[in-house]
Amino acid sequence: MDEKMQERIDRIRDEIAQAAASCGRDVREITLMAVSKTHPWDAVMDGYAAGLRLFGENRVQEVEAKFPPFEERPDGMQVRLIGHLQSNKVKKIVPLVDGIDSLDSLKLAHLISDCSMRNGTRMPVLLEYNTSAEDAKSGFESEHDLFDMLDHIEELPGIVVRGLMTVGPLGGDERTIRNAFSLLRTVRDRCKARYPSLDFSTLSMGMSGDFAWAIREGSTLVRIGTRLFGARDYTT
Ligand SMILES: *Cc1c(COP(=O)(O)O)cnc(C)c1O
């Protein structure tokens, strides 16, 4: 058991609880996702031993290389894709993950739905929304595009919508970042009103540097990498 890992998890959980308390929210509404990208399987298992269950990865190849097949994963471990998914990788990723949190086009929705149906499953998805108008980011670019996808939901029996996801502005002051999170919450409320039969209960927003603000803006899922696993090394 890695003591340091346990300490880091305890500290994050404390900060999540404090942020929830500061705005009168129930801490049980907020799920911690451990973003294990670039970190080895040993780090995932250290986290698992210390109580982490939900992991996020942003590259298809990395999920494939790092995680054992479903049947061989430890009890209760879940892995979801949080990074941009290319069409030609859909077939590969569908049998490897418990959810796709970065669905960002109608085209991709069709591919994931068809592939999941062929696998005899239905894939839980979050719809990624670009709240910071940064071109480099993925995600639906407008409410119009998002609604256009949701208008086709009946043609997509292989996906199950669970909510929305965003990556906040990288850098920027508290106001800029909170505005982006607040926008996602507003978009979620409009989706709920427009599609009352669908589930938009998950609002995935907040990372190591901004999760306390995200919780104050209504986040139900925070995605924490650096604060749990340390800095990422992209050079190796
Ligand atoms: C890497 C990543 C995170 C985690 O970022 P940290 O700042 O290390 O906590 C969260 N969400 C997404 C989509 C990511 O790609």
Side-chain angles (χ1 to χ4, degrees):
M1 166 77 105
D2 183 338
E3 301 279 338
K4 286 260 166 51
M5 174 63 82
Q6 190 69 62
E7 273 169 33
R8 289 193 292 259
I9 295 171
D10 291 348
R11 181 166 302 207
I12 294 282
R13 289 202 193 282
D14 274 352
E15 289 179 32
I16 291 172
Q18 276 170 29
S22 77
C23 57
R25 295 186 58 200
D26 183 341
V27 70
R28 288 169 302 185
E29 290 172 13
I30 301 153
T31 302
L32 171 60
M33 171 188 274
V35 178
S36 45
K37 66 186 186 202
T38 77
H39 298 285
W41 175 248
D42 285 353
V44 172
M45 284 310 292
D46 281 345
Y48 179 85
L52 298 175
R53 288 296 175 269
L54 176 61
F55 295 86
E57 287 282 342
N58 69 342
R59 292 179 62 238
V60 173
Q61 278 94 332
E62 197 172 336
V63 178
E64 192 184 28
K66 191 185 298 181
F67 288 83
F70 261 105
E71 323 76 73
E72 292 166 30
R73 289 180 197 170
D75 261 4
M77 179 182 281
Q78 291 203 16
V79 189
R80 307 221 299 244
L81 187 76
I82 58 173
H84 180 66
L85 177 58
Q86 290 168 283
S87 312
N88 61 355
K89 306 246 169 80
V90 169
K91 267 200 202 109
K92 189 165 271 183
I93 197 70
V94 163
L96 294 177
V97 289
D98 298 278
I100 295 175
D101 291 6
S102 46
L103 175 57
D104 61 1
S105 74
L106 176 59
K107 180 184 161 203
L108 204 53
H110 274 290
L111 293 170
I112 296 169
S113 176
D114 292 350
C115 186
S116 302
M117 291 301 276
R118 275 197 301 275
N119 268 29
T121 56
R122 299 179 75 209
M123 184 64 74
V125 298
L126 300 181
L127 311 178
E128 183 176 358
Y129 195 75
N130 185 345
T131 50
S132 55
E134 286 169 29
D135 283 344
K137 289 238 182 80
S138 43
F140 287 96
E141 295 288 338
S142 67
E143 234 174 37
H144 177 274
D145 291 353
L146 181 64
F147 291 166
D148 182 52
M149 192 241 117
L150 289 164
D151 286 340
H152 288 80
I153 200 72
E154 314 244 292
E155 301 160 20
L156 302 163
I159 63 172
V160 189
V161 174
R162 297 275 197 231
L164 303 182
M165 182 276 238
T166 199
V167 177
L170 303 173
D173 56 11
E174 175 172 355
R175 226 185 86 195
T176 312
I177 293 171
R178 288 184 69 156
N179 277 345
F181 294 152
S182 160
L183 171 62
L184 192 71
R185 190 186 58 221
T186 303
V187 172
R188 192 270 315 268
D189 292 345
R190 303 229 279 240
C191 286
K192 260 171 111 167
R194 207 178 142 110
Y195 307 96
S197 65
L198 297 182
D199 174 14
F200 291 99
S201 52
T202 302
L203 212 47
S204 172
M205 52 191 199
M207 319 201 311
S208 289
D210 56 20
F211 70 91
W213 295 331
I215 289 169
R216 292 195 188 95
E217 297 298 340
S219 174
T220 70
L221 180 75
V222 293
R223 309 180 306 265
I224 311 292
T226 310
R227 290 280 311 270
L228 288 172
F229 296 107
R232 285 180 289 275
D233 181 359
Y234 289 102
T235 58
T236 50

